[in-house]
């Protein structure tokens, strides 16, 4: 088990290097990097006097807004199916705690799922994902992985799906989601559908597993990514309708009441405002989708030019290149693992990225997780300009970062020392 989440650890290392005067191209941290919509700042200012604890599940206003938000997305929802929390990370942890049993995960998948399972003393059963899209296991491999897990003494109970996906930035097709949900039903698994990137599909929408396994799917999400509010810590989930879902909701409230008590009261007002989706919020989301798509696509083109395999981005702000085609050039530089590749990139080329091993890939896979959103700028003004631009990749600071990325990749694959060497 990692004692410090890999994503938070790299962010701290980059901060330290920058303080020491190094110029680091930070592609390591999943921070959406965008300005706050004015209406949200105003709501927070107006709510700052709210200092009472409030109900554990969330204020009636915030829960009603969240229920409306799900209902408008084709999942009819009552406020008593909602639970709000300081981020979706504690919600996922509470879910794993409430769903006694082992955890089935797509490989690769977000760093904290397996770590949370380990903290709870649960086993992880990894299932490969298809080449085209990540976040949902390959249905062809799921039944076998479950059988082998049970033979080794595991008790699989929860299947976590990430749609759209982090780390791959892709959206699994509806047919695959349907097939995996059918298998989950056969094997008595509860689906935890992590949909924190659902508002950031570059085109169209992501198929929620809650449509295919309505009575056994819990949807977890939050405002950290869609509205770049990671530091405000607003997460919310929807338990399924029906008797089992109601019981699970009660159990989750029990866990929440012992750990976080309630989402911070002013943040409940922010959640209610954002989830009612006034025009400013909708316009902000449209602009962010455009920005994320343009920059992820630009970086993807540069990766494939450098010879890496990489799934084309479909949502959010991540890419998951595989440098297997460059293995010989990397071996010549004593790089055998994704961790060595990430360290080499940081030390010799000034590029911060996370190794695929942090996401469950075998050590010798030469995969990296790149977050493209910290390229938007370091000042609120630059980020606002990036959000407003039709062609953000042409803004001078973004174009310079993209060019630097290409130059360093070129040097890496030709075995040359980078500018940070
Ligand atoms: N789920 C996924 C897939 C994520 O990438 C993240 C954050 O990186 C989270 C959940 C947790 O986000 P938060 O706790 O800020 O809601």
């Amino acid at each position: 088990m990692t004692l410090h989440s890999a994503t938070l650890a790299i962010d701290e290392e980059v901060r330290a290097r920058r303080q020491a005067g190094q110029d680091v191209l930070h592609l390591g941290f999943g921070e959406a990097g965008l300005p706050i919509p004015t209406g949200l700042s105003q709501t927070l200012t107006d709510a700052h006097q709210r200092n009472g604890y409030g109900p554990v599940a969330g204020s009636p206003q915030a829960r009603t807004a969240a229920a409306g938000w799900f209902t408008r997305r084709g999942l009819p929802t009552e406020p008593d199916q909602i639970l709000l929390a300081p981020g979706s990370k504690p919600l996922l942890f509470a879910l794993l705690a409430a769903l006694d049993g082992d955890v089935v995960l797509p490989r690769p998948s977000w760093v904290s799922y397996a770590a949370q399972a380990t903290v709870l003393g649960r086993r992880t059963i990894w299932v490969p994902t298809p080449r085209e899209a990540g976040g949902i296991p390959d249905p062809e491999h799921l039944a076998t992985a479950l059988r082998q897990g049970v033979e080794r003494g595991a008790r699989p109970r929860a299947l976590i799906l990430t749609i759209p996906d982090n780390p791959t930035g892709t959206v699994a097709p509806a047919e695959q989601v349907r097939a995996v949900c059918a298998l989950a039903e056969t094997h008595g698994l509860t689906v935890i559908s992590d949909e924190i990137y659902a508002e950031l599909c570059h085109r169209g929408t992501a198929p929620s597993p809650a449509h295919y396994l309505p009575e056994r799917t819990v949807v977890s999400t939050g405002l950290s990514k869609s509205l770049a509010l990671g530091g405000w810590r607003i997460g919310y989930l929807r338990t399924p309708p029906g008797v089992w879902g109601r019981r699970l909701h009660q159990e989750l409230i029990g866990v929440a009441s012992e750990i976080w008590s309630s989402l911070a009261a002013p943040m409940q007002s922010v959640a209610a405002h954002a989830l009612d989706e006034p025009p400013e919020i909708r316009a902000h989301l449209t602009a962010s989708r455009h920005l994320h798509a343009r920059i992820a696509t630009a970086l993807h083109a540069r990766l494939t030019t450098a010879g890496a395999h990489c799934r084309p981005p479909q949502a959010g702000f991540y890419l998951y290149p595989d440098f297997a085609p460059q293995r010989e050039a990397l071996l010549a530089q004593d790089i055998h693992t994704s961790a060595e590749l990430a360290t080499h990139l940081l030390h010799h080329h000034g590029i911060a990225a996370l190794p695929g091993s942090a996401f469950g890939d075998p050590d010798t896979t030469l995969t990296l997780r790149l977050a493209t959103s910290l390229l938007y700028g370091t000042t609120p003004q630059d980020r606002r300009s990036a959000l407003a631009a039709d062609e953000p990749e042409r803004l001078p600071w973004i174009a310079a970062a993209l060019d630097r990325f290409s130059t360093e990749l070129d040097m890496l694959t030709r075995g040359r020392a980078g500018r940070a060497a």
Side-chain angles (χ1 to χ4, degrees), residues 87-89 92 110 113 162 166 194 196-197 224-225 233:
S88 64
K89 212 181 236 188
L92 291 164
W110 179 52
Y113 305 137
T162 321
N166 170 13
D194 183 345
I196 197 161
Y197 296 95
S224 296
K225 311 298 173 177
R233 312 301 303 128

